[in-house]
């Protein structure tokens, strides 16, 4: 008999969401992370936006899990007193060529069942956000912001309440199938072995590297992970906005958007910068690009008040970072290995989708 039912590699928001769903369904769960704590990589280096789900192609996992995840995040936070605030979002068309694209995003949102979106014209945009200069906008009332650190803490708490645990400073080294179970080697101060019925790879930027250490997993099922950095700049002056302000998406990202904070300041980002290494330093040379993009919808912005803030990196698995690629959640029917679930390419909207990914994985055949 295996030591535990499930071992999850990676304690980001997604690994924790998956671990929590399985722990709640009665499985014994251990999550391992190479870092001293949970959520120290992509899950703490993002926009913390609760996406509504209008950007993603029909029936894609991103469309389904984002729309469902949006609902679940609000419910989860509401029940636990965690901040999740539907401050709403405006997606802006600032010129005629963007108007067509705006309508396409709106139609896609309708297909994806995003609730209560509306197209609004410049007079209503001015009423909602007087500093914005735009011709047309999508108003999405279910978009919002969340306190993802508190959500992760609560998810871990639930896993622990069900008898599960997070093993910190515990890098996954390798796994092979022995006697119908996974025998898993974990590093750290001492190397240990643990057996599990199900092994779940949720290692974000390292998902490709981790998958290569699973014996028997054919290389053709392991995508090459490319790194698309997103830099953020903080606005040091007052920013007169109360909603999320987004341009039309471009170049593999959702555009350099504005997230207001409670103190009346704002953060801008992320952009998309292809990088070769995981290096979280902000590329300050992007300031001019930021200023240009922001000016297209907020002409009064003072670019001298833009100060480098932080950066995160998206794990992209497409042929290039600009093309749409869906989340990949593979099990035995995809890669022919029993008791193995691989999560690849969990970039945006991974945070929003995390609880829905948990629900989805908990239903997968490999866990029967
Ligand atoms: C710039 C940017 C902005 C974003 N904005 C949003 C947003 O506003 N809304 C939204 O919904 N999504 C957003 N996302 C996407 C979201 O942040 C990610 O989809 C989500 O955080 C992915 O979580 P994860 O658990 O898969 O990965 P991670 O948080 O990276 O977790 C993976 C974990 O695996 C661990 N690990 C790796 N290798 C090993 C190993 N060998 N052994 C043990 N542990 C290992 C790592 O230490 C890490 O803790 C954004 C992403 C970026 C980069």
């Amino acid at each position: 008999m295996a030591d535990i039912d499930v071992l999850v590699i990676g304690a980001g928001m997604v690994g924790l969401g998956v671990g929590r769903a399985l722990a709640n369904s009665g499985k014994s769960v251990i999550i391992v992370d190479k870092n001293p704590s949970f959520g120290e990589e992509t899950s703490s280096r993002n926009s913390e936006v609760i996406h509504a789900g209008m950007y993603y192609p029909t029936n894609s996992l991103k469309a389904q899990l984002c729309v469902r995840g949006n609902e679940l995040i609000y419910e989860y936070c509401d029940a636990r007193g965690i901040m999740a605030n539907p401050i709403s979002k405006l997606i802006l068309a600032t010129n005629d060529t963007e108007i067509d694209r705006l309508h396409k995003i709106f139609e896609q949102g309708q297909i994806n069942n995003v609730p209560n979106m509306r197209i609004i014209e410049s007079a209503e945009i001015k009423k909602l956000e007087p500093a914005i200069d735009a011709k047309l906008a999508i108003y999405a009332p279910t978009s919002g912001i969340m306190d993802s650190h508190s959500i992760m803490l609560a998810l871990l708490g639930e896993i622990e309440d069900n008898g599960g645990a997070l093993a910190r400073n515990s890098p996954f080294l390798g796994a092979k199938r022995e006697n119908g179970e996974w025998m898993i080697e974990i590093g750290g101060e001492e190397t240990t072995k643990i057996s599990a019925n199900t092994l779940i790879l949720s290692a974000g930027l390292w998902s490709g590297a981790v998958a290569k250490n699973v014996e028997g997993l054919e290389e053709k099922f392991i995508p090459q992970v490319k790194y698309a950095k997103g830099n953020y700049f903080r606005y040091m002056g007052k920013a007169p906005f109360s909603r999320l302000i987004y341009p039309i998406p471009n170049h593999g990202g959702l555009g350099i958007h504005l997230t207001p904070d409670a103190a009346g300041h704002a953060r801008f980002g992320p952009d998309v910068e292809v990088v070769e290494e995981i290096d979280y330093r902000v590329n300050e040379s992007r300031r001019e690009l930021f200023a240009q993009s922001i000016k297209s919808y907020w002409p009064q912005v003072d670019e001298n008040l833009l100060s480098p803030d932080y950066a995160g990196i998206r794990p992209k698995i497409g042929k290039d970072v600009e093309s749409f690629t869906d989340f990949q959640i593979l099990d035995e029917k995809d890669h022919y290995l029993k008791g193995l679930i691989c999560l690849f390419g969990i970039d945006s909207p991974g945070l929003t989708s995390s609880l829905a990914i948990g629900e989805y994985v908990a239903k997968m055949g490999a866990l029967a």
Side-chain angles (χ1 to χ4, degrees):
M1 210 175 99
D3 299 325
I4 52 168
D5 293 321
V6 183
L7 187 129
V8 181
I9 303 165
M13 183 100 157
V14 174
L16 289 165
V18 168
R20 174 251 183 182
L22 294 169
N24 281 348
S25 75
K27 306 278 181 197
S28 51
V29 175
I30 288 192
I31 304 195
V32 296
D33 204 289
K34 62 181 175 51
N35 289 340
S37 192
F38 59 85
E40 293 193 339
E41 306 287 350
T42 309
S43 294
S44 54
R45 299 178 159 278
N46 54 64
S47 305
E48 293 194 293
V49 168
I50 306 172
H51 287 296
M54 67 285 278
Y55 297 110
Y56 317 108
T58 311
N59 292 329
S60 60
L61 279 179
K62 284 188 176 174
Q64 295 170 47
L65 297 174
C66 181
V67 173
R68 174 73 181 140
N70 174 295
E71 252 174 51
L72 291 176
I73 290 279
Y74 284 120
E75 273 171 31
Y76 190 82
C77 292
D78 197 35
R80 290 163 183 81
I82 297 172
M83 192 281 282
N85 189 354
I87 59 174
S88 79
K89 155 166 159 178
L90 296 179
I91 307 173
L92 308 173
T94 54
N95 58 46
D96 289 340
T97 39
E98 289 181 348
I99 287 180
D100 272 358
R101 296 188 55 209
L102 190 91
H103 282 294
K104 289 211 171 77
I105 295 170
F106 184 76
E107 282 158 23
Q108 190 62 55
Q110 289 180 312
I111 296 171
N112 294 352
N113 292 319
V114 175
N116 304 326
M117 289 178 309
R118 282 194 298 123
I119 296 247
I120 60 174
E121 300 199 346
S122 53
E124 193 173 350
I125 300 171
K126 274 269 174 249
K127 226 156 118 194
L128 294 175
E129 295 290 358
I132 289 291
D133 202 8
K135 294 199 162 191
L136 213 61
I138 296 172
Y139 170 69
T142 56
S143 299
I145 47 174
M146 66 181 120
D147 173 357
S148 54
H149 185 83
S150 297
I151 299 174
M152 288 191 273
L153 192 60
L155 293 171
L156 178 57
E158 268 189 81
I159 292 167
E160 290 172 345
D161 288 348
N162 282 296
L166 166 64
R168 299 160 192 263
N169 300 308
S170 301
F172 164 81
L173 300 179
K176 59 180 170 191
R177 272 196 84 72
E178 270 178 25
N179 308 322
E181 301 162 359
W182 285 104
M183 187 54 72
I184 302 152
E185 206 177 337
I186 306 293
E189 270 181 26
E190 278 172 31
T191 300
T192 46
K193 283 193 173 171
I194 183 166
S195 61
N197 291 321
T198 302
L199 174 63
I200 300 183
L201 316 187
S202 180
L205 293 165
W206 291 265
S207 54
V210 160
K212 283 187 184 144
N213 291 324
V214 175
E215 205 176 283
L217 182 60
E218 286 180 61
E219 222 160 278
K220 65 180 178 197
F221 300 119
I222 306 175
Q224 200 207 336
V225 180
K226 299 183 187 72
Y227 303 144
K229 189 189 245 188
N231 298 283
Y232 289 87
F233 283 76
R234 176 154 288 279
Y235 195 63
M236 304 313 283
K238 284 278 171 202
F241 304 102
S242 55
R243 293 171 180 77
L244 295 157
I245 310 290
Y246 276 63
I248 296 285
N250 59 9
H251 311 306
L254 296 181
I256 294 175
H257 58 259
L258 176 153
T259 309
D261 68 20
H265 298 287
R267 187 180 64 215
F268 289 98
D271 59 355
V272 181
E273 181 192 2
V274 179
V275 292
E276 297 298 321
E277 283 173 7
I278 298 173
D279 174 349
Y280 293 126
R281 282 173 297 181
V282 174
N283 181 349
E284 296 194 30
S285 71
R286 314 284 282 193
R287 187 196 308 266
E288 185 48 38
L289 183 140
F290 270 67
Q292 271 171 25
S293 167
I294 300 162
K295 273 184 189 156
S296 70
Y297 55 86
W298 183 26
Q300 287 81 22
V301 65
D302 178 352
E303 61 193 82
N304 298 314
L305 297 179
L306 290 171
S307 163
D309 200 356
Y310 64 94
I313 301 177
R314 310 165 181 87
K316 289 279 187 180
I317 56 169
K319 63 178 183 342
D320 54 58
V321 303
E322 300 206 356
S323 329
F324 172 82
T325 39
D326 206 359
F327 294 152
Q328 270 194 22
I329 306 181
L330 310 182
D331 70 1
E332 187 183 354
K333 68 180 174 344
D334 306 297
H335 53 54
Y336 316 117
L337 281 178
K338 201 169 164 48
L340 176 70
I341 296 182
C342 306
L343 287 88
F344 295 126
I346 313 292
D347 59 345
S348 190
L351 222 54
T352 308
S353 309
S354 53
L355 301 182
I357 294 175
E359 219 175 49
Y360 182 90
V361 168
K363 284 186 194 143
M364 288 180 102
L367 293 164

